[in-house]
Amino acid sequence: MLTAFARAFKTPDLRKKLLFTLGIIVVYRLGAHIPVPGVSYENVQTCVDAAQKGNNSLFGLVNMFSGGALLQITIFALGIMPYITASIILQLLTVVIPKLETLKKEGSSGQTKITQYTRYLTVALAILQGTGLVATARSGALFSGCPVANDIVPNQSIFTTITMVVTMTAGTAAVMWLGELVTDKGIGNGMSILMFISIASGLPGSLWAIKQSGTLAKGWIEFGATILIGFVMVGLVVFVEQAQRRIPVQYAKRMIGRRSYGGTSTYIPLKVNQAGVIPVIFASSLLYIPALVAQFSSSTSGWKTWIEGHFVKGDHPYYIVTYFLLIVFFAFFYVAISFNPEEVADNMKKYGGFIPGIRAGRPTAEYLSYVLNRITWPGSLYLGLIALVPQVALASYSGSNGSSISGTSILIIVGVGLETVKQIESQLQQRNYEGFLR
C-alpha cells in the first residue's frame, strides 16, 4: 500500500491531482473556522463548550456534515448539506417529472442540465437553511440552556441578518465550487471527498470526549472498546459494500453486413446495499422534525413533553424502533425509484441480451424485481444495524458530542474511502499496470 502511494506521487500528473486535492481540502477546512460577520465569537465558543457537555443533538446531523462548522456559525456553516439535499430532490423528481426523465436519458448533455438545476436548487436551499440558522441563533434556540445564547448575535438589525444569510449562501456556493474543482482537476468524487473530510475531522474530538467521560480505568477501557467496535463495523461495512449479486447476461450474435456483433457474456451487478447511505439520511432527517417542532414551540402541553421524552434522545426504545423501521422503508423506497427493472429488461431486449433460462421482456423484468427484493432485505437490515449499533453502544456518552461516531459517518467514511482508493488504483494501472492490490 505504501509503495503504491509512493508510486502515485512519483507519477507527475497524478501527483498534481493529489496535491491539488490536498490544497482544496486545506482551503475547505480554513473556511470552516472563519466566523460569519455579526456573530460574537466568544459567546459562540462558550455555548459550544456547554453543548459538548450537555445533550444537544438536535442539529447533530447537519453539524456532522459541516465538520462542526454549523454550531461554530462560520462561513461554511451549512457545508455540503444543501447540495446533498438538492441532489436527492432532483433524483426523486426525475421519476415524477417526465422532462427530467427525458434529460436523464439524453446522456452527458442532459446530465449537464440536471447538474445546473441542482446548483440553482442548492443556492435556494442554502438561502432557506441560512435564514433558519440565523433565526435560530438570534432567538437563542441554537444553544438551549446556554446562559449567553441570546447574545450570540449582538446586533439583530435587518442589515446584519441579511449579511449573515448572504455570507452563508456564498459559503455554500464556494463549497460546491470547491467540490466540482476536485472532481474536474483532482482525483474525482469532489463532493464525496469534502463530505469525508467534514466527518473525519470530528472523529478525534469525539473519541477523546468518550475517553474523558469514561469511568473505567480513567476512560481508557471505554476508549479501547469504542475503537474495537469501530474496527469491527468498518470490516462489516467493507464486506457488505463490496458484496453484490451478479446476474449473468448473454448477448446473441447479430450479423450486420459481413461482420458479427454480440455473442458475449456479461453480468448485471446488483449490490446488496443498493441504496447506499441515503435511507439513513432520510430517516435521520425525518426524525429531526418532531424534535425541531418541540424545541421551537412555546407550548407546555403534554405532546411537547412526550416528544422531548421519546424522540429527542437516541437511546429511547421508541426512537430506536422508529429509526430502524424508517431506514428499512426508505431502503426499499429508494431502490424502487433508482433501479427500474422494466427499463433494464427493455434495453437488454433491444440489444439482443437475455438472462439464461429467463425469457426476454416482461419475465426478465419480473425476475430482476424478484432478485432485487430478495437482496434489499439483508441490505436494509444491515443499514439499520450499522446505524443503531454505535448509537446504542454510545448512549451513555451522548453528552460527549459523539455524533461524529455514528453509523452514518462510518458508512460515508468507508464508502468514500473505498471509491477514492479505486480511482487512484485505476489511474495507477493505466500508467504502471500495478496498483494497490497485488
Side-chain angles (χ1 to χ4, degrees):
M1 181 73 74
L2 294 177
T3 305
F5 271 113
R7 192 182 301 114
F9 275 96
K10 288 180 181 179
T11 307
D13 53 343
L14 190 54
R15 181 175 64 247
K16 290 180 180 178
K17 292 182 177 182
L18 290 172
L19 293 177
F20 180 83
T21 302
L22 291 176
I24 295 295
I25 291 173
V26 171
V27 173
Y28 176 63
R29 290 308 300 162
L30 285 175
H33 291 84
I34 301 176
V36 170
V39 172
S40 173
Y41 179 77
E42 293 79 8
N43 292 338
V44 167
Q45 295 306 311
T46 302
C47 290
V48 167
D49 293 339
Q52 290 177 349
K53 296 176 183 178
N55 185 20
N56 184 7
S57 60
L58 179 61
F59 301 96
L61 181 68
V62 183
N63 191 55
M64 180 185 69
F65 279 108
S66 65
L70 176 75
L71 296 182
Q72 299 283 348
I73 317 181
T74 66
I75 60 175
F76 289 169
L78 302 179
I80 202 70
M81 199 63 181
Y83 184 85
I84 296 173
T85 307
S87 301
I88 294 174
I89 290 175
L90 261 296
Q91 193 169 5
L92 295 176
L93 291 179
T94 302
V95 185
V96 180
I97 302 177
K99 183 179 179 181
L100 292 177
E101 186 176 3
T102 304
L103 287 176
K104 183 180 179 181
K105 295 179 180 179
E106 288 181 359
S108 59
S109 61
Q111 189 60 43
T112 302
K113 293 183 179 179
I114 293 179
T115 303
Q116 195 68 23
Y117 295 154
T118 305
R119 294 170 182 164
Y120 295 148
L121 185 57
T122 299
V123 174
L125 291 175
I127 295 174
L128 182 63
Q129 294 180 13
T131 304
L133 178 59
V134 172
T136 306
R138 289 179 52 178
S139 65
L142 184 62
F143 298 101
S144 57
C146 178
V148 293
N150 293 324
D151 298 326
I152 289 179
V153 185
N155 184 2
Q156 299 191 1
S157 64
I158 297 297
F159 178 78
T160 303
T161 302
I162 295 176
T163 302
M164 293 176 66
V165 173
V166 170
T167 303
M168 290 183 184
T169 304
T172 299
V175 170
M176 183 170 54
W177 177 61
L178 292 176
E180 292 180 353
L181 284 178
V182 175
T183 302
D184 296 336
K185 300 181 180 180
I187 58 177
N189 286 339
M191 300 298 177
S192 300
I193 289 177
L194 293 184
M195 187 165 52
F196 174 93
I197 295 300
S198 297
I199 297 173
S201 64
L203 286 179
S206 297
L207 289 172
W208 189 247
I210 290 175
K211 187 267 174 189
Q212 289 182 324
S213 63
T215 57
L216 300 177
K218 296 183 179 180
W220 286 111
I221 293 180
E222 290 90 340
F223 181 83
T226 303
I227 297 293
L228 181 61
I229 293 174
F231 276 119
V232 172
M233 294 189 64
V234 168
L236 176 62
V237 171
V238 171
F239 177 77
V240 178
E241 291 297 322
Q242 299 291 90
Q244 56 183 224
R245 168 71 182 273
R246 297 182 176 182
I247 299 179
V249 178
Q250 182 74 36
Y251 285 92
K253 285 187 177 181
R254 295 183 298 167
M255 296 298 297
I256 302 179
R258 295 186 177 181
R259 302 184 63 179
S260 63
Y261 296 88
T264 59
S265 298
T266 183
Y267 59 86
I268 301 174
L270 296 179
K271 295 181 64 176
V272 173
N273 182 23
Q274 191 81 6
V277 74
I278 291 180
V280 181
I281 297 176
F282 276 3
S284 302
S285 302
L286 197 61
L287 277 179
Y288 277 126
I289 295 177
L292 190 65
V293 172
Q295 180 164 352
F296 283 101
S297 175
S298 58
S299 173
T300 57
S301 58
W303 68 268
K304 180 179 179 180
T305 305
W306 189 85
I307 290 178
E308 291 177 344
H310 296 80
F311 284 96
V312 173
K313 293 185 178 180
D315 57 343
H316 196 278
Y318 284 6
Y319 184 97
I320 293 173
V321 173
T322 306
Y323 191 28
F324 184 83
L325 293 177
L326 284 175
I327 290 174
V328 174
F329 169 75
F330 281 121
F332 278 92
F333 174 75
Y334 187 77
V335 169
I337 66 172
S338 61
F339 186 89
N340 190 346
E342 288 79 10
E343 183 179 350
V344 175
D346 291 341
N347 290 334
M348 289 172 53
K349 186 177 181 180
K350 185 185 302 182
Y351 295 102
F354 63 94
I355 300 174
I358 307 295
R359 294 179 59 185
R362 186 172 182 81
T364 298
E366 293 176 351
Y367 177 76
L368 291 175
S369 298
Y370 170 76
V371 174
L372 195 62
N373 288 332
R374 290 287 296 271
I375 65 173
T376 302
W377 270 113
S380 61
L381 297 178
Y382 145 80
L383 282 177
L385 178 66
I386 290 295
L388 288 175
V389 165
Q391 196 159 331
V392 174
L394 301 175
S396 58
Y397 309 110
S398 58
S400 304
N401 195 24
S403 60
S404 294
I405 309 176
S406 63
T408 308
S409 62
I410 293 175
L411 284 168
I412 293 175
I413 288 176
V414 175
V416 175
L418 287 174
E419 288 298 321
T420 304
V421 169
K422 286 180 181 178
Q423 289 209 356
I424 300 177
E425 165 95 8
S426 63
Q427 296 189 35
L428 279 175
Q429 289 180 344
Q430 290 175 3
R431 295 165 177 83
N432 303 312
Y433 300 101
E434 291 183 7
F436 294 120
L437 304 178
R438 294 285 181 178

